């Protein structure tokens, strides 16, 4: 494995040349990516290598990448990808492995903050900022927020992101929370990936019109049950997303629901519309398996209740993150 600083320099150089190749529609762009991968060896996240294989087998994947390159600010996209590779994957994975060996239990790669309106509220800004700070200390640099609770606003989470430039923040937000002030706060934050709720669709479109001027990568998301899944995979819905400049949708299953992965994969491979549909829960599980050989979910709810991937529950209230992880995460098998 390369030194972290050297790896970051190599990644930055690679991304600069890659974007140049993509913008010029260079036919050698895939071989270029493949030639880069061995340079950094196991510093490349498996998910990116998987994407390369998909692009080789199916030109539609390259179409999605091309659209993303065309419509997104290059610096913002480079910083986002560099963050994922160097900080979240390379440094984070190394720190997590070290702390797992030290403490004897699994540590999640991603923390999901599910801030719903159904539970009492505990996760005020100061609590969340404390969690993020402690998480970074043990190698967790990916934070996914599902923001449904008015007591923690998007502006407050963006302020937390501003003070934690080493972490990558995935924010799923309601479209009516997007204002001109939010757009201004978002502009300098290239380590934030924003997903807008797609219902009601008219509000989704209004929020997009405000955000397009930032040229940030933007996706759509929806939280649904199994019975609603197919309606978000129809050609009508996907064609509307493409018309609105969206090429990535995050599908978040309601509690106790599991999506048909075969159906999602079939649509991703065969639909004529360049939209990538991702099961949010399966994505977190797959990242854990590809990086560490075992899935490791960890979700914090509005009340401070925490749930691990095996369903074991603990409470964060007035306790350290490390103590809760020790209580509910599976033991590390030596």
């Amino acid at each position: 494995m390369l030194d972290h600083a050297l790896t970051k320099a190599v990644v930055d150089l690679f991304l600069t040349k890659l974007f140049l190749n993509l913008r010029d529609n260079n036919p050698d762009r895939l071989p270029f990516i493949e030639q880069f991968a061995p340079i950094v060896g196991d510093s490349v996240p498996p998910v990116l290598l998987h994407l390369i294989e998909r692009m080789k087998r199916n030109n539609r994947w390259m179409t999605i990448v091309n659209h993303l390159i065309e419509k997104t600010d290059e610096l913002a996209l480079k910083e986002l990808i560099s963050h994922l590779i160097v900080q979240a994957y390379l440094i984070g994975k190394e720190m997590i492995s070290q702390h797992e060996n030290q403490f004897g239990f699994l540590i999640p790669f991603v923390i999901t903050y599910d801030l719903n309106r159904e539970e009492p509220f505990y996760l005020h800004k100061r609590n969340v900022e404390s969690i993020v700070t402690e998480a970074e200390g043990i190698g967790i640099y990916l934070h996914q927020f599902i923001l449904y609770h008015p007591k923690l606003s998007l502006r407050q989470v963006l302020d937390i992101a501003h003070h934690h430039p080493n972490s990558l923040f995935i924010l799923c937000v309601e479209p009516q929370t997007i204002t001109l002030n939010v757009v201004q706060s978002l502009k300098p934050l290239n380590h934030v990936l924003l997903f807008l709720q797609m219902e009601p669709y008219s509000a989704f479109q209004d929020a997009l019109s405000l955000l397009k001027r930032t040229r940030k990568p933007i996706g759509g998301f929806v939280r649904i049950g199994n019975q609603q899944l197919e309606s978000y995979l129809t050609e009508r819905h996907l064609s509307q997303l493409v018309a609105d400049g969206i090429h990535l949708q995050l599908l978040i299953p309601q509690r106790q629901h599991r999506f048909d992965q075969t159906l999602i994969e079939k649509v991703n491979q065969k639909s004529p519309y360049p939209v990538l549909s991702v099961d949010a829960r399966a994505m977190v599980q797959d990242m854990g398996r590809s990086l560490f050989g075992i899935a490791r979910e960890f979700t914090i709810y509005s009340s401070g209740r925490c749930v691990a991937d095996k369903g074991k529950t603990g409470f964060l209230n007035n306790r350290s993150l490390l103590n809760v992880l020790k209580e509910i995460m599976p033991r590390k098998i030596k």
Side-chain angles (χ1 to χ4, degrees):
M1 180 183 291
L2 298 181
D3 172 82
H4 294 167
L6 179 57
T7 299
K8 188 177 190 314
V10 172
V11 169
D12 288 344
L13 177 62
F14 160 72
L15 292 174
T16 299
K17 291 187 174 182
L18 174 61
F19 289 157
L20 179 62
N21 284 351
L22 288 170
R23 291 188 190 282
D24 293 342
N25 202 28
N26 190 321
D28 295 328
R29 56 193 182 275
L30 273 180
F32 176 81
I33 300 174
E34 291 180 290
Q35 291 166 12
F36 163 78
I39 295 176
V40 291
D42 63 352
S43 298
V44 178
V47 67
L48 293 186
L49 299 179
H50 186 48
L51 178 59
I52 293 170
E53 288 301 315
R54 284 176 177 262
M55 288 191 294
K56 287 168 61 179
R57 296 195 305 266
N58 189 332
N59 189 59
R60 184 171 161 275
W61 287 80
M62 182 57 80
T63 302
I64 293 174
V65 172
N66 287 341
H67 280 291
L68 187 61
I69 293 292
E70 290 170 7
K71 297 176 181 178
T72 306
D73 175 74
E74 184 173 310
L75 177 61
L77 196 55
K78 281 173 60 178
E79 287 196 24
L80 193 68
I81 298 173
S82 180
H83 239 77
L84 176 64
I85 294 177
V86 179
Q87 194 71 41
Y89 174 73
L90 174 60
I91 298 176
K93 180 183 177 184
E94 185 176 298
M95 290 177 65
I96 286 173
S97 296
Q98 290 174 351
H99 284 98
E100 285 183 347
N101 290 332
Q102 177 183 351
F103 299 130
F105 54 84
L106 300 185
I107 295 174
F109 183 66
V110 183
I111 293 179
T112 298
Y113 303 77
D114 190 339
L115 306 185
N116 60 77
R117 294 183 174 95
E118 287 74 46
E119 301 187 33
F121 194 75
Y122 166 77
L123 290 183
H124 295 280
K125 180 185 173 184
R126 65 181 181 275
N127 302 108
V128 174
E129 187 139 30
S130 175
I131 295 167
V132 173
T133 300
E134 188 179 353
E136 288 180 336
I138 55 176
I140 306 172
Y141 290 102
L142 271 175
H143 300 271
Q144 175 178 264
F145 285 81
I146 305 171
L147 286 174
Y148 278 123
H149 206 293
K151 289 188 177 180
L152 185 68
S153 70
L154 174 56
R155 284 288 300 276
Q156 288 177 310
V157 176
L158 291 178
D159 188 56
I160 292 171
H162 175 76
H163 289 98
H164 292 271
N166 290 330
S167 285
L168 186 61
F169 292 82
I170 301 172
L171 308 184
C172 299
V173 304
E174 295 174 296
Q176 58 267 31
T177 63
I178 303 301
T179 64
L180 289 175
N181 286 336
V182 164
V183 171
Q184 287 300 117
S185 299
L186 183 64
K187 281 183 178 179
L189 303 178
N190 291 330
H191 59 302
V192 171
L193 180 58
L194 199 63
F195 287 87
L196 298 175
Q197 182 176 277
M198 295 181 287
E199 298 296 343
Y201 201 86
S202 58
F204 173 65
Q205 290 175 311
D206 290 342
L208 283 178
S209 66
L210 289 176
L211 287 165
K212 280 180 179 177
R213 69 188 69 179
T214 69
R215 289 183 57 79
K216 300 279 189 182
I218 305 292
F221 92 94
V222 68
R223 186 174 213 155
I224 53 175
N226 296 327
Q227 68 278 9
Q228 299 165 287
L229 176 61
E230 290 190 20
S231 63
Y232 287 91
L233 299 174
T234 62
E235 290 195 358
R236 179 180 178 182
H237 174 70
L238 297 178
S239 65
Q240 183 62 63
L241 288 180
V242 172
D244 290 324
I246 297 297
H247 301 279
L248 176 62
Q249 66 170 347
L250 200 61
L251 306 172
I252 303 177
Q254 294 173 349
R255 295 183 198 179
Q256 312 304 322
H257 286 249
R258 295 290 185 273
F259 290 151
D260 183 346
Q261 296 302 310
T262 302
L263 175 61
I264 295 175
E265 184 66 17
K266 180 180 178 181
V267 173
N268 279 337
Q269 292 293 335
K270 296 186 176 181
S271 170
Y273 299 100
V275 177
L276 175 62
S277 301
V278 177
D279 178 338
R281 180 179 294 154
M283 176 185 69
V284 172
Q285 293 174 337
D286 289 345
M287 288 175 71
R289 291 190 193 97
S290 65
L291 297 178
F292 301 98
I294 184 172
R296 47 190 66 204
E297 285 185 85
F298 184 76
T299 302
I300 303 175
Y301 291 93
S302 306
S303 61
R305 181 170 61 92
C306 303
V307 179
D309 60 323
K310 300 300 182 183
K312 198 169 182 180
T313 301
F315 283 88
L316 195 60
N317 309 45
N318 300 318
R319 302 174 63 201
S320 72
L321 174 64
L322 198 60
N323 281 339
V324 177
L325 292 175
K326 180 179 181 180
E327 179 183 318
I328 71 174
M329 291 297 290
R331 305 299 298 174
K332 179 178 175 60
I333 301 175
K334 296 182 179 180

